[in-house]
Amino acid sequence: MERYTIGIDYGTESGRALLVRVSDGAEIATAVHEYQDGVIDKHLPGETRPLPPDWALQNPNDYLEVLKETIPSVLAESGVSSEQVIGLAIDFTACTMMPALADGTPLCNLPEFRANPHAWVKLWKHHAAQPHADRINATGRELGQSWLSRYGGKISSEWFFSKALQILEEAPEVYHKADRLIEAADWTIWQMTGVETRNACTAGYKAIYQDGDYPPREYFAALNPDFADVVDSKMSRELVDLGDKAGGLTEEAAGWTGLEPGTPVAVANVDAHVTFPATGHVESGTMVMIMGTSTCHMLVADELREVEGMCGVVMGGIVPGRYGYEAGQSGVGDIFAWFVDNGVPPEYHRQAEELGLSLHELLEREAAKQRPGEHGLLALDWFNGNRSVLVDVELSGLLVGMTLATKAPDIYRALLESTAYGTRIIIEACKESGLPVKKLIAAGGLPGRNPLLMQIYADVCNQEIDLIESEQGPALGAAMHAAVAAGVYADIEEAARHMGRLSDKVYKPIPENVAVYDELYRDYRFLHDLFGRSGASDPGGVMKRLRERRAGALKGSA
Amino acid sequence: MERYTIGIDYGTESGRALLVRVSDGAEIATAVHEYQDGVIDKHLPGETRPLPPDWALQNPNDYLEVLKETIPSVLAESGVSSEQVIGLAIDFTACTMMPALADGTPLCNLPEFRANPHAWVKLWKHHAAQPHADRINATGRELGQSWLSRYGGKISSEWFFSKALQILEEAPEVYHKADRLIEAADWTIWQMTGVETRNACTAGYKAIYQDGDYPPREYFAALNPDFADVVDSKMSRELVDLGDKAGGLTEEAAGWTGLEPGTPVAVANVDAHVTFPATGHVESGTMVMIMGTSTCHMLVADELREVEGMCGVVMGGIVPGRYGYEAGQSGVGDIFAWFVDNGVPPEYHRQAEELGLSLHELLEREAAKQRPGEHGLLALDWFNGNRSVLVDVELSGLLVGMTLATKAPDIYRALLESTAYGTRIIIEACKESGLPVKKLIAAGGLPGRNPLLMQIYADVCNQEIDLIESEQGPALGAAMHAAVAAGVYADIEEAARHMGRLSDKVYKPIPENVAVYDELYRDYRFLHDLFGRSGASDPGGVMKRLRERRAGALKGSA
C-alpha cells in the first residue's frame, strides 16, 4: 500500500493542499481555497468603520475552512483513501499572529471583541506597528541586547513583539483578555490537534528566541511595565523542532477533512523556510533563494557566524541541528514590475501584443540579444529599500549611464543585473564571515519563467545555479515534514533525499560574461558603499536627503 | 518715409527672411524657403554612392535660392518698396564651411569635382573629422598652445580646422585646388556684395582666432607639413567687426532680390550670437541662453577672464569691443524628448490624446502640481555628454531616488530640474571667475512653451529670468546688424535699445523653492564632481568605465 502525506501552504490570499507520495515525493493532487475575508485592510467584516492606514488583518476561521475544503478535494481527486494518508503538515506566512483564549478561541470570535480590530489576526504585512518596532530597536540598543546583531541590528515592524506591543498599547483590553498571543501557524496546528505548540522557526526568526531563550523580563519591562511578562503570561518557552509531531488529528478535525483521527500532524513551519528541503538539499553551505516580488536568501550551515545585515540567524530555524541564516532583497520582481508598468513606451506594448508575449517576455527577449556591458548602464536595486546587508528602508534606486540612445530593454536588463549584484553582495558577506555558499539553488516564482535572469545571476555570482523542480515548493516541503512527523524518515535530511528534487536545468557561468560582470560588480559595490553606507550628513548620503526632502514637501502640501 | 532692413537667418533645413522696421524693430513680413538639397547625408545629389557615417553636407546654391525666393516675397507681402530697404544682413549655422576658387566659385560647381564629397559645403553637424580634431587638440597640448584654454581645452570636430584638415588629408586634390576655405556665411556675403570678408564671430569661435591672430605656422606644420600655410594660402587675417558693412549689393544680387544695387550688406554673423542684441540688452554682465535641443549660454563682458569649460571666449565675438563668452549644455530639450519617446507608459499617451495635449504638456501639467523635492529624485543631465564646464562627451545620465511609487511626471520634472542645475553650474563658474551674471535672458524654442521649466530655472538659479519677445530672434538680430551697417545706428548697442525687446513675462524666484533647490543643488554638485571629475581609473569614474565596456561589447558583437 502506497503511503501519502498532505502539505498545506497558507498564503496571503488562499490556502493550498498538496497530496504527495511519501516514497518519492511525487505530487498526486492539489486544491486551492481562497479565504472568504481575504486580506482585511479596508474595514472589518460586517463593519463600515475604515481601518487606519498600514493595517492588514485576517479572519482565523478562514484557515479552518481551507482544511475543510481542500483536503476532501485532494482525496477525491486522487482516489487515495484516508488510511493511506499517514501525516499532515502546514506552512504559513509569518509573522502572522493573533490573540486567543486559553482554550484556543480567537478573541475576534467573542461577540464583545468582534468590532475591535486588535482582536483579529495581524497579517505579516500589517505595518502599523512601526513606532513600536522603533522603540524595540532603540531600547534593545540602549540595554545592549546581544540578540540585535542576529537580526542585522533591526527588528521589523512586521514581527511578533512589534505587533504584540501595539496591541498592549492601543487596545489594552484585548491584550489583557488574551491568554495567548500566538502565531496563526501554531494556532492552526492547535485547532487540528488540540495541542498547543510553538515552532522553532517563527520563534527564532520573528520572536527573538535566541540561544535558548527570549529576551529578559527587564527588557520587556523597559518597553512597557505591563509588557514585562509577555512571554510567561501569553506565550511559551517550550519550542518544538521542525518535523516533530505536534499531535494527532482530533475527532473534530478528522470530521472536517475526511482523514483518520490520530493522523500525525507536524509542528507548523514558515512558507519560505519549509521550501528549503523541497530542493532535496539541506547540507551545510547550501543557499536557497526564494525569488519573487522580493527575494529571501536562506543558508544552512553548521557554524554560527556574525554576518552583516541578516534578517535572522536561528538554530534549527530551517533544519533541526543547523543554523539557518535568512537574508533578503526587499525588491526584485517588484522592481521589474514597476518598470514594466511605469517605464515602457507604447511601441513595446503594441509589439508584445502582436507577438502574443507578455511585456516581460518581450523585454527579456530583446535584452537577451545584448552582451554584458553593451547597454552601458548600471543600477542600484533599492527601489523598495535595502534589507541585506544594509538594512535601510530609506535607500532608493539609482540608474547611471543613460544616453539619448538608451532604450527600454537596456534599462530592463540593467534592472535584472542590479538584483543579481545585490544577491552577490549577500553571498560575499556570507563568505567573508566564513560561510561559503557551496551550493546555490533558486526557487519561487521568478526562476522558471526568466531564463535570462537566471543566466545573469549565474554569471554575476560566478556560480552554478540549480532550480527546484516543484512548482509547489512550500506545500511539498510541508508534506515532507509530515513524513518525518509520521516517522517514515528519520529526519528532514533523509526526507529531502527521497522526496525533494532539483530540475534538470542548471545555469552555468559563462566565463567571458563572468569577466565583464566582475568589473561591473566592482562599480556596483562602489556605488553600494557610497550611497548605502553614508549617513544623511555625509556627502554620499544623497538618497537619505532626497527622502527627507520628499517627506518635507509632502508634509508641506498636506 | 519709414525705413526697413532685412535679416536672413540661414538654418539647417531652410532660410528665413524677416523685414523689420528700423525705427522700432517691428516685424513686418517674413518668408521661408526650404533648401532643395537640404542636409546631404545619404549620398550626393545625382549620385548613388552612399556617404560615410557622420557626414553632413550642403549645396551652396541653396543659399542663393533663399535670397531669390524670400526677399521678393517679403517685399510683396509688406508693400515696402526697394528704396525703403536700407540694409541687409544674414546669420548662419557655424562652422559650416566650404572650398572655393579665388573668384568665389564653389568647388562642387566644377564638373570635375561634382562627385567629390569634399568639394561640397561641410555642414556644422558633419562629425567625420573627429580624428583630425583629436590631433588638433593633442598637438595643441604638446606645443603648449595658449589658445586651448579659451575653448575649454578642446577644439570640436565641428570646427573649421578639423574640417579643413580632413579635406587636406582625405582629398588633397580638393585642398590644393581650393583657393579659399571659407565659412558659408562669409561666402554668401561675398556672393551678395562681390567682396570677400571674414567675420570676427566665426573666426574667433570656430577658427581659433585669438588675441589678434590665428595659431602660428609651426603649429599647423606640426599637424601636417602641407597644412602649414592654410591661413595665408586659403583664408585671410583681416577680420571685419560684426555690424560693419561688408559691401553694397551687386547688380546681379539686386536682380535676384528686387532690391536696389548698392544696398548696404553687413558682415555675416552666427545664429546664436546674432540673437543676443535682439533681446535689447548687450550690457556687460548680460547672459542670453538660447534654449532648444541643446542650450547655448552667451555672456557679454568687458573683462577677459579664464572661465572653466567655455566653448569659446572671443573679443568682439558677440558685440564689438566686448568679450563674448560662449558656454553650452549639450543636451536639454533632447533629454526631455528622449524621455517622452522612451520612458512614458501608454496611460499618459492616452490621457494626452483625450485632453488634446502634447505629451510634454501633459507631463508638465502633472509635474507642476508638485513642490520642489516632492518626487524625491535627482538627475544628472549628461545624456548627450557634458560641454560646459566639464567638456567631456564620455559622461552620461544619472537618476537617483526612485521607489516603487515613482511615476513618469516625477522623472520628467527631475529631468527639467537637472538641466537647470547644469545651467547654474555655468553661471557659478562665471561668477567664480569674476564675471557675475547681472541679467539673465532666455531665448530659443523652449522658454515660450515651457512655463514650469522657466520657473524652475529662476528658482534653481535664484535669479530673475527675462524672455526675448521676438519669435524670430536670429533674423531680427541680423536685421539690427543691417541697420548698423546702413549707418542708422552708431553701433549694435544703440540698435538694441531701439529694435530689441524683452517680453512682459518675467520669471521671478520663489523664496521657498529657492531654499529647497539650494539644498538639491548641493547634492547635484556632489554628484557632478564625483562622476564628472573622476578619471577612468578613479572609483568615481563609473560613467567612463561603463562607456568603455559598452564600446568593448559592441566591438565584440560586431
Side-chain angles (χ1 to χ4, degrees), chain A residues 330-331 334-335 338 340-349 371-378 380 382-384 395-408 410-411 516 519-520 523 526-527 530-531 539-543 545-547 549-554 556-558, chain B residues 330-331 334-335 338 340-349 371-378 382-384 395-408 410-411 516 519-520 523 526-527 530-531 539-543 545-547 549-558:
Chain A
S330 25
D334 264 357
I335 300 176
W338 171 84
V340 160
D341 290 344
N342 292 285
V344 182
E347 60 193 278
Y348 292 95
H349 290 259
R371 292 173 171 235
E374 185 173 325
H375 51 50
L377 301 172
L378 183 60
L380 288 176
W382 304 340
F383 287 63
N384 201 21
L395 297 175
S396 52
L398 180 143
L399 184 65
V400 57
M402 296 84 87
T403 71
L404 297 176
T406 300
K407 297 285 179 191
D410 301 333
I411 298 175
V516 178
E519 288 179 23
L520 279 160
D523 281 335
F526 167 70
L527 299 176
L530 174 69
F531 291 102
V542 174
M543 291 176 181
R545 289 191 293 276
L546 287 171
R547 199 171 278 267
R549 279 181 216 118
R550 173 167 164 76
L554 287 171
S557 48
Chain B
S330 25
D334 264 358
I335 299 176
W338 170 84
V340 160
D341 290 344
N342 291 285
V344 182
E347 61 193 277
Y348 292 94
H349 291 258
R371 292 175 172 236
E374 186 174 325
H375 51 51
L377 301 173
L378 183 61
W382 303 340
F383 287 63
N384 202 21
L395 297 175
S396 52
L398 180 142
L399 184 65
V400 56
M402 298 84 86
T403 71
L404 297 176
T406 299
K407 297 285 180 193
D410 302 332
I411 298 175
V516 178
E519 290 180 22
L520 280 160
D523 280 335
F526 167 71
L527 299 177
L530 174 69
F531 290 102
V542 174
M543 291 176 181
R545 289 191 292 277
L546 288 172
R547 199 171 279 265
R549 277 180 217 118
R550 174 168 164 75
L554 288 171
K555 198 177 289 177
S557 49

Side-chain angles (χ1 to χ4, degrees), chain B residues 416-446:
Chain B
L416 299 185
E417 290 166 347
S418 72
T419 67
Y421 303 135
T423 282
R424 180 163 165 184
I425 290 272
I426 291 169
I427 291 174
E428 295 206 345
C430 293
K431 187 176 165 190
E432 283 159 20
S433 299
L435 298 171
V437 172
K438 295 171 193 159
K439 188 165 191 69
L440 185 58
I441 302 171
L446 284 180

Side-chain angles (χ1 to χ4, degrees), chain B residues 315-369:
Chain B
M315 166 46 82
I318 300 171
V319 179
R322 291 202 173 119
Y323 287 99
Y325 295 79
E326 184 187 336
Q329 287 175 268
S330 25
V332 179
D334 264 358
I335 299 176
F336 315 148
W338 170 84
F339 182 67
V340 160
D341 290 344
N342 291 285
V344 182
E347 61 193 277
Y348 292 94
H349 291 258
R350 276 195 298 271
Q351 204 186 337
E353 205 170 317
E354 281 167 27
L355 296 169
L357 299 173
S358 75
L359 201 46
H360 279 287
E361 288 166 335
L362 176 68
L363 291 171
E364 189 193 43
R365 197 185 71 164
E366 294 303 308
K369 296 175 181 166

Side-chain angles (χ1 to χ4, degrees), chain A residues 389-448:
Chain A
V389 298
L390 299 170
V391 198
D392 192 339
V393 296
E394 306 284 290
L395 297 175
S396 52
L398 180 143
L399 184 65
V400 57
M402 296 84 87
T403 71
L404 297 176
T406 300
K407 297 285 179 191
D410 301 333
I411 298 175
Y412 188 73
R413 183 171 176 127
L415 294 174
L416 300 185
E417 290 167 347
S418 73
T419 68
Y421 303 135
T423 282
R424 179 164 164 183
I425 290 272
I426 291 168
I427 290 175
E428 294 205 347
C430 293
K431 187 177 166 188
E432 282 159 19
S433 300
L435 298 172
V437 173
K438 296 172 194 160
K439 188 165 191 67
L440 186 57
I441 302 171
L446 283 182

